[in-house]
Amino acid sequence: MAALFGRRLRRGATTTAVAALAVAALSASQAPAIVPGGGENGKQASGSSVPDESPGSASGDSSYHTDLPPLNTPDKPGTSIDLPDLEGAAEAGIPATVLSAYKQAEQRLGVTNPGCNLPWQLLAAIGKVESGQARGGRVDDNGTTFTPILGPVLNGVGFANISDTDNGAYDGDKTHDRAVGPMQFIPSTWATWGQDANGDGRKDPNNIFDAALAAGRYLCANNRDLSLKSNLDQAILSYNRSREYLATVLSWLEYYKRGSHEVPDGTGVLPEGPGPLNPGGPSNSPSPGPTTSPSPDESPTTNPPKPPKPPATKPPTTPPTKPPTTPPTTPPTPAPVVEHLEDAGTGKLSATAGTEFAGRVTVRGEDGKGKAVGKAAVRFTIVGDTDATFAGGSKNATGVSGATGVAKAPALRAGEKTGDFTVRADVVGRTVPAVDFTATVTERQADAVARTSDKEMTAAPGGEFADSIQVKATNNGVIAPGVAVKATMIKSADDASAADKGPYFKDAAGKPLRALTDLKTDAQGLLVLPKIFADDATGTFLLRIETAGGAKVTIELKVTAPEA
């Protein structure tokens, strides 16, 4: 088990008492009680086994915050034990962008891995324990932490010994690894599980959208169904192999399931103890309470002193204490929410197959008074029968609005399927009418096509042409890959309809075929036609090759009888 940095002892409670409170809270909520039982340096205490498919863990068993949630949740009466609220309702607040990232990850995995049954509250519980919800939501408009969140150096002193695996790319340490980002992935784990959830083309462990989706996929690994208690425990323990870690995460999971609310970014409650946030915090040891000491008298007396007479009762002369004049703390102003979403100058969305759209979907979020709403998470979804994707290959992406309320989707790339499809924009976590945009993919084109050889094409009646025909297509002087091509044996230069005699191709059954469609140039813009055969007719015949875009080339085919 990892050494426990970040323990906050509540009101002088000992470590055992804190664990007991966690167990009591879980028991009262009908959640199975988990008794902490971890050892040191990644080892389990005797009799405490950790089900885990791999010897490693997502965080490298790094430090984590052991603050526990309040033991009562008044927002849902009757679901918690009747104890005073030790922390206050502020603990239930989750920063807006961080909350959006958790909910987006739940939605994405609900589509790609519905059997996992991942609740966003599990990501919130791990995010709370690992980084205090990205340092209380100190992230920029794209969800990236303002400064990297780094765990302790994993050099074997109090933690696992993990030599550098990323040449310092993520953690800045070229000797040993460190857990990185709001979900505290070690670099080697991030290399396998990292995601680009916000569609910016990068897999960044310091971005809460990327990290939350990666954490969700990691927890769902090995076909886990997290609605099953055994699988849930196994998933959490694969993140950090500690029974105390499991108990802490489960307590926050239960707490968030009972209710939470959105708070502005940067206003979330931070853990008080040391850990990834506060590496130089106070000691883990509880402060000793007051002790009693013997009387300074060195020897007892045989005659006990007479009890003093009670003083005469007099009315108090000291005026009563006045109530404090400090005004109560003003609650934070609720963050504005999007009530209306509109197009913010997207323009026409059109692209040739296989290319990037010049325009990007852009929307603006407004509140009920028509004012711009910043830091709102906007989800962009590709809808319809298309193989178009956002940058990174995803059909979904999330953008965060800036100070002007504008959110922009990642670059959109057309696939090979032509036609129209829809890009839909809606607000994460809000029931606001979506805005739909029509995007069109047109087929690839070439403005020139030419044969790559000038060798004469000849054959004897009833024979076959010895050479194959190869053509090359270009567009604006650049090779044109994937361009649709038609090849037709035409009647004459003035009549482009298919001929009824002369040279021909063969279909799959070996029957004559004088027009070919569904041909495409390869990655170098080249196309080699199938073998051509001759019937009994002699003379000069024409083969016309035409590309999408109108480029044409006509090739002569000569059928002559051999000399006697």
Side-chain angles (χ1 to χ4, degrees), residues 92-462:
I94 301 177
T97 300
V98 178
L99 181 60
S100 295
Y102 296 151
K103 290 184 175 181
Q104 176 188 299
E106 177 193 55
Q107 182 192 45
R108 294 272 289 273
L109 286 164
V111 174
T112 61
N113 194 351
C116 177
N117 295 304
L118 172 85
W120 67 260
Q121 291 91 342
L122 176 57
L123 297 176
I126 291 176
K128 178 70 174 180
V129 169
E130 293 292 350
S131 69
Q133 310 298 19
R135 291 195 181 109
R138 286 161 176 79
V139 296
D140 63 19
D141 289 346
N142 293 317
T144 302
T145 57
F146 290 121
T147 56
I149 300 176
L150 298 175
V153 178
L154 299 177
N155 57 4
V157 181
F159 303 100
N161 188 350
I162 303 179
S163 299
D164 175 64
T165 60
D166 66 331
N167 197 30
Y170 293 121
D171 55 16
D173 191 327
K174 295 184 178 181
T175 304
H176 292 91
D177 274 347
R178 302 174 71 174
V180 180
M183 302 304 282
Q184 289 289 279
F185 278 93
I186 55 174
S188 58
T189 307
W190 183 258
T192 301
W193 295 94
Q195 298 292 300
D196 175 19
N198 63 352
D200 63 358
R202 297 192 309 132
K203 297 178 181 180
D204 185 359
N206 291 298
N207 181 276
I208 186 58
F209 289 99
D210 293 358
L213 182 58
R217 289 190 64 242
Y218 182 89
L219 294 166
C220 289
N222 300 306
N223 297 317
R224 293 191 186 106
D225 178 358
L226 300 183
S227 65
L228 301 177
K229 184 63 172 64
S230 59
N231 285 354
L232 176 63
D233 289 357
Q234 189 181 70
I236 297 171
L237 288 169
S238 75
Y239 217 92
N240 189 311
R241 300 168 300 176
S242 158
R243 289 286 173 179
E244 284 192 336
Y245 180 87
L246 173 63
T248 305
V249 171
L250 286 174
S251 66
W252 281 106
L253 170 61
E254 186 65 25
Y255 181 71
Y256 286 135
K257 280 186 173 180
R258 296 180 180 206
S260 63
H261 58 275
E262 178 183 300
V263 298
D265 287 347
T267 65
V269 176
L270 289 175
E272 293 181 0
L277 299 181
N278 311 309
S283 168
N284 295 334
S285 303
S287 301
T291 59
T292 58
S293 58
S295 169
D297 295 339
E298 295 185 3
S299 60
T301 59
T302 55
N303 298 321
K306 296 180 180 180
K309 295 181 179 180
T313 304
K314 294 182 179 180
T317 57
T318 304
T321 303
K322 295 182 180 180
T325 57
T326 304
T329 303
T330 303
T333 303
V337 295
V338 176
E339 300 289 349
H340 171 69
L341 198 63
E342 64 180 20
D343 181 9
T346 298
K348 185 178 180 180
L349 294 173
S350 180
T352 302
T355 66
E356 191 171 284
F357 284 76
R360 292 169 65 179
V361 174
T362 307
V363 294
R364 182 175 186 268
E366 299 177 345
D367 63 14
K369 297 181 180 180
K371 293 184 178 180
V373 177
K375 293 187 177 295
V378 179
R379 177 175 45 239
F380 301 97
T381 307
I382 296 174
V383 181
D385 184 16
T386 179
D387 53 356
T389 62
F390 291 114
S394 174
K395 295 280 188 181
N396 301 277
T398 300
V400 180
S401 62
T404 60
V406 173
K408 186 175 291 188
L412 187 63
R413 187 170 185 83
E416 295 303 321
K417 187 170 289 187
T418 60
D420 295 341
F421 64 92
T422 299
V423 179
R424 179 165 297 154
D426 62 353
V427 182
V428 176
R430 298 283 299 166
T431 305
V432 177
V435 181
D436 286 351
F437 301 85
T438 299
T440 303
V441 178
T442 59
E443 63 182 351
R444 296 173 184 257
Q445 298 184 352
D447 58 14
V449 61
R451 189 182 172 201
T452 58
S453 171
D454 58 1
K455 188 175 182 180
E456 189 177 57
M457 295 292 295
T458 61

Side-chain angles (χ1 to χ4, degrees), residues 16-27:
T16 304
V18 174
L21 288 176
V23 172
L26 290 170
S27 299

Side-chain angles (χ1 to χ4, degrees), residues 529-542:
L529 294 180
K531 185 174 288 293
I532 301 174
F533 302 88
D535 60 12
D536 294 335
T538 59
T540 299
F541 303 90
L542 300 179

